[in-house]
Amino acid sequence: MGTTTGEGRRLLRRALKKAAEARPHPNPRVGALVMDPGGQLVGTGVHQGPGSPHAETLALDEAGSRAKGGTLITTLEPCVHSGRTPPCVDRITGAGVAAVVVGADDPDRRVSGRGRAVLEELGIEVAGPLLTEEVEAADPAYFHHRRTGRPRFTLKAAVTLDGWTAARDGTSQWISGPAARRDGHRLRASADGVMVGAGTLRADDPRLTVRLEGARTPQPPAVVVAGRARLPAVRKLWERRPLVIAPQPTDVVPPDLQVIAPGGDGLVDLALAARALGERGLLEVLVEGGPRLAGGMWSAGLIDRGVFYMAARVAGGEGLPVMSGAFSTLSASRQAIIEDVQKVGEDLRIEWRPRRESA
């Protein structure tokens, strides 16, 4: 092997850093390096998205003949299946590299250890996976999607210090301060989709766009979860052609923008809706409201992460909660793991996740 384990991890972190800004979903975020037999960097690659060359191919193309006898560093196990691009293992073996260092195994069932096995069968030395936790932390939604078949759902909310997300009349602009709102837009920009319920659509008439200087194009797709009531015919969001998930067909948006997921009581089956979003290639979905949607997603066990902005504001009475539904007894609550707390302007940003049974 051309690199020690310690050197392999250092190079993998370098490749991860190069891949950090890429937005390849529904494909994985992958970075690759090629070292020649003398240990010099001769090629780099970052996968940019479906249909574009994989990171390994880009790095090997840049290296050319200098890759022969050298080492390929790749943050994710090379693929063995054909899609829009040929299998990476074929390109690797054709380049004549002597060794491959892998950061993490690919959770995609079409790969999942087979990539390493094929390379070893062809006489290429393989080290790894050497950096599984860090690779997964760099692209958690991809790993979640491939394991569960659905997006990773993040619940975002701005709340007063005494726990309300809006006043009784529905007003909520603005509970949090400017710095927290900017941070919320950065969170929205990182998502593959932004989801709201029909109640929020009616009350707030949102666009669900990222309003930051230099915001990415295209904007993250919008998703509306409808209920029994008819959707309003005129809303700003319709200009963005959102996906509507409904218990029955609607004539407000075209059929190709509808997912019909009937559940009990004439409402949407949220688990069925989640799988449909996963099939459409949405890996990271931000749930922005309102209380009925948030409560339904929580009850269905679909909230994987939360980002709450606790504003420096006290309601001083009863308003609208983050989640609707009865909180009848303490034993009905679930524990959460608080992963990060930081001050954003005058407010607090609290990042958390539900504590799973196995945690």
Side-chain angles (χ1 to χ4, degrees):
M1 176 71 65
T3 60
T4 64
T5 297
E7 178 71 357
R9 290 196 177 97
R10 184 186 72 80
L11 291 170
L12 283 166
R13 291 188 178 106
R14 183 172 178 178
L16 267 181
K17 187 175 181 179
K18 285 184 173 294
E21 297 304 316
R23 300 192 58 84
H25 290 174
N27 285 8
R29 182 174 288 123
V30 183
L33 310 174
V34 176
M35 315 300 290
D36 71 12
Q40 295 299 308
L41 177 66
V42 292
T44 64
V46 172
H47 181 50
Q48 297 296 333
S52 65
H54 288 191
E56 300 94 323
T57 296
L58 290 170
L60 290 167
D61 285 348
E62 183 179 326
S65 61
R66 296 172 293 177
K68 189 170 184 179
T71 300
L72 171 72
I73 313 293
T74 178
T75 57
L76 194 69
E77 176 186 19
C79 65
V80 292
H81 59 283
S82 295
R84 297 187 187 182
T85 57
C88 287
V89 291
D90 293 350
R91 182 67 181 86
I92 293 168
T93 54
V97 299
V100 174
V101 178
V102 175
D105 281 344
D106 192 337
D108 192 311
R109 65 184 64 183
R110 295 170 296 180
V111 189
S112 195
R114 291 179 57 214
R116 290 189 294 109
V118 169
L119 291 173
E120 290 174 339
E121 288 169 4
L122 294 171
I124 296 175
E125 189 176 353
V126 178
L130 298 182
L131 216 64
T132 298
E133 289 187 6
E134 291 181 41
V135 172
E136 183 165 352
D139 197 6
Y142 173 78
F143 281 79
H144 182 279
H145 176 268
R146 292 305 192 270
R147 288 170 179 153
T148 66
R150 66 169 180 83
R152 185 176 79 144
F153 290 103
T154 296
L155 177 61
K156 171 196 164 192
V159 298
T160 63
L161 286 174
D162 45 348
W164 304 106
T165 192
R168 277 190 174 180
D169 65 359
T171 55
S172 62
Q173 297 181 350
W174 299 99
I175 282 180
S176 58
R181 295 199 297 273
R182 285 193 297 272
D183 190 81
H185 277 277
R186 286 190 287 271
L187 186 65
R188 186 182 284 180
S190 69
D192 298 324
V194 182
M195 176 188 284
V196 296
T200 296
L201 180 76
R202 293 186 185 92
D204 296 347
D205 194 13
R207 291 186 184 275
L208 302 182
T209 53
V210 177
R211 295 184 293 279
L212 293 171
E213 185 177 350
R216 70 180 175 95
T217 302
Q219 292 275 349
V223 180
V224 176
V225 179
R228 291 182 289 260
R230 180 177 173 79
L231 291 168
V234 178
R235 277 298 179 268
K236 297 170 186 174
L237 195 59
W238 298 147
E239 299 172 9
R240 295 193 55 214
R241 292 174 57 80
L243 182 67
V244 172
I245 303 174
Q248 65 277 323
T250 175
D251 58 4
V252 175
V253 297
D256 63 313
L257 295 177
Q258 299 182 41
V259 171
I260 309 305
D265 297 324
L267 300 175
V268 162
D269 182 328
L270 292 171
L272 184 61
R275 291 194 295 273
L277 292 178
E279 290 168 359
R280 286 175 176 252
L282 299 185
L283 276 57
E284 182 78 73
V285 173
L286 188 64
V287 181
E288 294 209 17
R292 182 174 294 179
L293 175 61
M297 294 286 288
W298 178 258
S299 296
L302 293 172
I303 297 299
D304 304 295
R305 172 176 172 251
V307 177
F308 283 9
Y309 297 93
M310 183 161 281
R313 182 184 295 271
V314 177
E318 294 183 1
L320 299 181
V322 175
M323 303 180 197
S324 64
F327 178 29
S328 302
T329 179
L330 185 61
S331 62
S333 65
R334 293 173 56 193
Q335 285 194 309
I337 297 172
I338 296 177
E339 298 196 314
D340 185 62
V341 178
Q342 56 183 286
K343 195 166 184 183
V344 182
E346 295 182 345
D347 307 322
L348 287 180
R349 181 188 193 274
I350 302 173
E351 186 172 337
W352 57 273
R353 62 181 172 86
R355 186 185 294 274
R356 305 296 184 188
E357 291 292 331
S358 58

